């Protein structure tokens, strides 16, 4: 069925544009005048002012690795994140934990863990797939580098960014 | 050769005319192209303020480049230099498949007409006895129309030579926009000729000095600096300035002014009539395929056209370089400079008005623009001519 769109009957003032043009000019003039005295400006001067404190809890920034409260690397290098990563930004080189190590029971940990931030799309799949809850997307968003090599986060950087994550998995607790 | 002989040679009438004209041209060209740069900056700043932003506020004196600790932002004024430097140093990319000759010709054709218009605009009274008009020609206003309508060729050629659909549509739009506006632009000015009786812009300005600005309904008669000391004379001149003819003529003059102003917006491709550019629909329109200095020429052309258009508005309707009470350049070079300053100040106000309008109004739809030109302004401008004629006939008999 055809829909009849009722065109509103315009008055002469509306038809000849002019009153609304003047109304518009008045509004923009008001804003111009206010901004001239540095009032009402809503933008933020980015590097000096940041919105970091207001980032939401679920914000997906740079992926990082975490250690637990005992200082143990949570990653067991199962490589699930490496396989699921859509842009293939993650490269893991696993290693066996030596016999005399405190965490021998865990058996494996990454020898190298690289995330190419030039490739990362911040999708958060690595965080979701991780069975050990070892990789988290933190709130860092300003990842810069002067070349491709600088954009690769190695294991050291990742742990530095990630820090300690308490609780959650007790799978490798000796007492359990 | 001794200095006396050189001085004598330089003051020969023809030689004097030639070198002063060259000097005026050189200075005016440099000043105007500088003003263009300032206008671009003003455009960015004003648009930012209107939209509650800060605008460019970082580029100032780069102290860190020469070993300083901190840059001096200087309210972003350095942007005026940074923008042209960026455009100059970019690669001038010419896409494959363009018509090279016309592709290179088009930017020059856009830039040239507005600069030519400056030749006939009286930007001051006189300085050391030299008239502050580059060319005082009798066909002044006609010259402006003839030259400004040429800039549409540059845009159309750019659209066609780019061998790309969006620039092409932009070029086509520009030409039909020109047809719908040029008519009312020309017709709107005819009442001014009828009132002033001349096409010479200098004489139109002189008429306005004597009889008051064309947009004013009332003007004190023979108002001067000395009268301020004699209240009786002042009162007399204030009363004598009132005349029925002036009040009646004010109506067609205002109509002319509004039509001329709007047509100048269309002529200079400014919003709300920037259909050839229309970046949201046409990816930048006629200059989509241009880069570097070729693009900058279009940019310069647009702003120079704004300047020339504002200059025309000021000279024809707003009394040119004159202000009430302020004497002209024959009373001393200081007043000559004041007159030049007045002209540039008036032009700046119109430029700011253009920027203000741009960031207020949305773009007209294509058919709305044609309708406004053909069914709105064209009949009104025609009617306006007859109205002026009737008023003049009634008053003078």
């Amino acid at each position: 069925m055809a829909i009849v769109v009722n065109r509103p009957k315009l008055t002469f003032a509306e038809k000849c544009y002019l009153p609304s043009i003047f109304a518009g000019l008045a509004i923009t003039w008001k804003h111009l005048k206010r901004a001239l005295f540095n009032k009402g400006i809503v933008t933020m001067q980015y590097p000096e002012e940041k919105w970091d404190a207001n980032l939401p809890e679920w914000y997906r920034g740079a992926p990082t690795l975490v250690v637990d409260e005992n200082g143990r690397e949570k990653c067991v290098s199962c490589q699930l994140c490496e396989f699921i990563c859509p842009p293939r930004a993650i490269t893991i080189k696993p290693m066996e934990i030596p016999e005399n190590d405190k965490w021998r029971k865990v058996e494996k940990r990454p020898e190298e863990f690289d995330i190419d931030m030039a490739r990362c799309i911040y999708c958060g799949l690595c965080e979701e797939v991780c069975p050990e809850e070892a990789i988290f997307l933190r709130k860092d968003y300003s990842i810069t580098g002067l070349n491709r090599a600088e954009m690769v986060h190695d294991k050291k950087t990742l742990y530095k960014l990630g820090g300690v994550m308490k609780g959650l998995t007790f799978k490798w607790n000796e007492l359990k | 050769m001794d200095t006396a002989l050189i001085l004598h040679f330089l003051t020969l009438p023809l030689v004097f005319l030639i070198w002063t004209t060259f000097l005026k041209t050189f200075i005016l060209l440099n000043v105007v192209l500088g003003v263009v740069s300032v206008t671009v900056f003003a455009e960015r700043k004003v648009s930012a303020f209107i939209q509650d932003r800060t605008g460019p506020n970082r580029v100032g004196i780069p102290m860190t480049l020469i070993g300083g600790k901190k840059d001096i932002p200087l309210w972003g004024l350095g942007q005026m230099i940074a923008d042209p430097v960026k455009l100059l140093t970019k690669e001038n990319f010419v896409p494959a498949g363009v018509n090279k000759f016309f592709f290179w010709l088009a930017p020059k054709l856009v830039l040239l007409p507005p600069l030519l218009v400056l030749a006939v605009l009286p930007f001051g009274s006189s300085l050391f006895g030299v008239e502050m008009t580059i060319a005082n020609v009798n066909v002044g206003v006609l010259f402006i129309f003839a030259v400004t309508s040429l800039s549409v060729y540059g845009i159309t050629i750019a659209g066609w030579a780019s061998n790309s659909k969006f620039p092409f549509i932009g070029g086509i739009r520009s030409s039909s926009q020109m047809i719908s506006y040029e008519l009312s632009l020309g017709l709107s000015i005819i009442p001014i000729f009828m009132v002033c009786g001349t096409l010479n812009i200098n004489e139109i300005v002189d008429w306005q000095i004597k009889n008051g600005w064309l947009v004013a309904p009332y003007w004190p008669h023979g108002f001067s600096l000395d009268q301020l000391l004699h209240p009786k004379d002042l009162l007399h001149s204030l009363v004598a300035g009132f005349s029925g003819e002036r009040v009646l003529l004010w109506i067609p003059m205002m109509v002319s002014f509004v039509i001329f102003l709007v047509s100048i917006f269309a002529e200079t491709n400014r919003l709300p009539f920037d259909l050839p550019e229309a970046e949201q629909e046409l990816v930048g329109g006629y200059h989509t395929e241009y880069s570097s200095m070729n693009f900058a020429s279009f940019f310069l052309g647009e702003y120079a056209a704004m300047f020339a258009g504002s200059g025309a508005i000021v000279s024809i309707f707003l009394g040119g370089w004159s202000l009430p009470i302020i004497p002209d350049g024959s009373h001393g070079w200081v007043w000559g400079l004041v007159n030049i300053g007045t002209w540039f100040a008036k032009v700046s106000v119109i430029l700011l008005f253009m920027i203000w309008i741009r960031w207020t109004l949305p773009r007209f739809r294509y058919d709305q623009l044609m309708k406004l030109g053909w069914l709105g302004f064209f009949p009104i401008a025609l009617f306006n001519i007859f109205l002026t004629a009737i008023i003049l006939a009634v008053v003078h008999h």
Side-chain angles (χ1 to χ4, degrees):
Chain A
M1 203 190 91
I3 299 168
V4 179
V5 180
N6 284 319
R7 300 275 176 200
K9 268 249 182 284
L10 297 178
T11 60
F12 177 74
E14 282 166 337
K15 266 189 211 160
C16 74
Y17 314 116
L18 283 172
S20 30
I21 285 178
F22 285 121
L25 285 176
I27 290 172
T28 45
W29 180 254
K30 211 170 65 195
H31 282 262
L32 174 66
K33 216 171 54 183
R34 214 170 47 187
L36 264 182
F37 298 105
N38 233 347
K39 272 182 277 179
I41 287 173
V42 293
T43 48
M44 200 173 247
Q45 298 303 306
Y46 166 65
E48 290 91 11
E49 300 167 30
K50 283 183 180 170
W51 195 241
D52 289 8
N54 302 60
L55 288 179
E57 210 31 60
W58 55 87
Y59 186 80
R60 295 205 307 258
T64 59
L65 291 176
V66 293
V67 293
D68 67 5
E69 61 266 48
N70 301 317
R72 180 184 64 84
E73 292 177 39
K74 283 185 134 185
C75 178
V76 296
S77 53
C78 67
Q79 287 174 299
L80 274 180
C81 52
E82 183 175 352
F83 298 137
I84 202 153
C85 181
R88 299 188 181 180
I90 302 175
T91 322
I92 302 170
K93 191 176 167 199
M95 73 178 280
E96 203 169 326
I97 295 177
E99 205 63 56
N100 51 2
D101 197 279
K102 190 181 169 192
W103 302 108
R104 176 65 188 108
K105 191 186 171 192
V106 184
E107 290 182 357
K108 267 170 88 186
R109 72 176 176 219
E111 188 184 354
E112 275 163 34
F113 197 115
D114 291 337
I115 302 183
D116 190 346
M117 293 313 293
R119 286 180 149 236
C120 179
I121 56 170
Y122 303 86
C123 62
L125 284 184
C126 47
E127 180 182 331
E128 234 163 90
V129 82
C130 186
E132 296 295 322
E133 299 183 328
I135 186 163
F136 283 93
L137 267 67
R138 288 293 172 91
K139 288 179 181 176
D140 312 86
Y141 51 86
S142 178
I143 312 292
T144 51
L146 292 174
N147 50 44
R148 280 162 201 277
E150 275 181 34
M151 291 302 285
V152 178
H153 281 177
D154 60 4
K155 200 176 136 182
K156 216 176 114 200
T157 324
L158 290 170
Y159 275 117
K160 208 178 96 193
L161 286 172
V164 183
M165 182 66 85
K166 286 185 184 162
L168 300 173
T169 44
F170 296 99
K171 212 171 173 181
W172 305 108
N173 195 328
E174 289 288 351
L175 301 171
K176 273 194 171 176
Chain B
M1 268 216 281
D2 58 319
T3 42
L5 204 66
I6 293 172
L7 265 177
H8 176 71
F9 177 71
L10 286 179
T11 46
L12 287 174
L14 186 66
V15 178
F16 185 74
L17 181 74
I18 289 170
W19 75 259
T20 49
T21 305
F22 269 110
L23 196 66
K24 279 187 286 188
T25 314
F26 180 76
I27 292 174
L28 187 68
L29 214 56
N30 279 294
V31 168
V32 167
L33 292 181
V35 168
V36 164
S37 192
V38 179
T39 316
V40 174
F41 179 72
E43 173 111 51
R44 297 183 63 178
K45 258 324 205 198
V46 170
S47 70
F49 285 156
I50 284 176
Q51 295 167 352
D52 290 346
R53 297 183 283 117
T54 325
N57 64 344
R58 306 228 166 211
V59 190
I61 302 167
M63 293 304 280
T64 42
L65 274 187
I66 49 172
K69 277 270 182 294
K70 222 168 172 282
D71 291 335
I72 301 169
L74 218 65
W75 313 284
L77 281 170
Q79 199 73 43
M80 291 191 280
I81 301 160
D83 277 345
V85 167
K86 181 202 80 176
L87 284 167
L88 274 168
T89 49
K90 270 183 149 182
E91 185 198 353
N92 200 339
F93 184 74
V94 182
V98 302
N99 188 326
K100 287 248 171 59
F101 177 71
F102 289 115
F103 189 79
W104 282 89
L105 182 71
K108 283 91 192 165
L109 278 183
V110 171
L111 181 56
L112 201 61
L115 296 180
L116 279 177
V117 168
L118 295 172
V120 294
L121 294 179
F123 56 92
S125 50
S126 61
L127 207 59
F128 305 112
V130 181
E131 194 178 38
M132 285 292 114
T133 318
I134 291 169
N136 184 356
V137 285
N138 280 329
V139 289
V141 182
L142 284 185
F143 178 85
I144 292 182
F145 290 156
V147 167
T148 50
S149 53
L150 283 179
S151 66
V152 76
Y153 284 106
I155 294 173
T156 315
I157 286 174
W160 178 76
S162 293
N163 193 18
S164 160
K165 50 198 167 303
F166 290 124
F168 186 64
I169 297 172
I172 296 285
R173 281 183 176 192
S174 176
S175 47
S176 54
Q177 177 178 324
M178 199 271 291
I179 297 169
S180 34
Y181 269 88
E182 204 78 345
L183 269 176
S184 34
L185 185 72
L187 289 176
S188 72
I189 218 82
I190 291 178
I192 281 92
F193 305 150
M194 292 159 83
V195 173
C196 300
T198 176
L199 275 169
N200 187 330
I201 300 183
N202 285 53
E203 283 170 25
I204 293 178
V205 172
D206 287 339
W207 189 92
Q208 292 183 80
I209 293 165
K210 222 179 292 161
N211 302 304
W213 300 359
L214 275 166
V215 290
Y218 163 81
W219 204 257
H221 185 73
F223 199 44
S224 73
L225 207 52
D226 318 324
Q227 284 183 342
L228 288 178
L229 302 173
H230 307 284
K232 223 174 197 174
D233 292 351
L234 185 69
L235 194 71
H236 181 75
S237 77
L238 286 179
V239 172
F242 186 83
S243 76
E245 185 192 359
R246 222 31 230 284
V247 176
L248 279 177
L249 275 177
W250 183 62
I251 302 160
M253 287 301 119
M254 275 316 277
V255 173
S256 278
F257 178 63
V258 170
I259 293 176
F260 191 78
L261 190 69
V262 175
S263 300
I264 285 289
F265 274 91
E267 189 78 41
T268 53
N269 294 322
R270 292 287 296 177
L271 240 121
F273 308 115
D274 71 336
L275 290 152
E277 205 175 323
E279 61 264 28
Q280 293 87 354
E281 312 157 28
L282 300 184
V283 210
Y286 59 93
H287 56 53
T288 306
E289 306 292 344
Y290 284 86
S291 52
S292 179
M293 207 51 211
N294 273 352
F295 170 74
S297 300
F298 281 119
F299 212 60
L300 266 177
E302 187 193 325
Y303 282 86
M306 268 169 77
F307 189 89
S310 312
I313 292 170
V314 165
S315 298
I316 296 171
F317 289 99
L318 300 176
W321 44 263
S322 74
L323 267 187
I325 306 178
I326 307 276
D328 62 11
S330 56
H331 293 81
W333 60 272
V334 178
W335 294 116
L337 285 181
V338 168
N339 289 150
I340 294 173
T342 310
W343 192 76
F344 275 96
K346 282 183 185 177
V347 169
S348 309
V349 169
I350 300 285
L351 283 175
L352 274 178
F353 179 70
M354 282 180 150
I355 293 171
W356 181 21
I357 286 275
R358 172 170 178 182
W359 296 99
T360 302
L361 300 183
R363 184 178 304 120
F364 271 58
R365 209 173 58 209
Y366 199 56
D367 58 316
Q368 289 172 335
L369 168 95
M370 302 278 271
K371 203 176 157 192
L372 187 69
W374 286 107
L375 299 179
F377 286 152
F378 180 58
I380 293 175
L382 262 185
F383 173 75
N384 199 29
I385 296 171
F386 288 104
L387 184 68
T388 318
I390 291 166
I391 292 172
L392 285 175
V394 167
V395 169
H396 288 285
H397 286 282

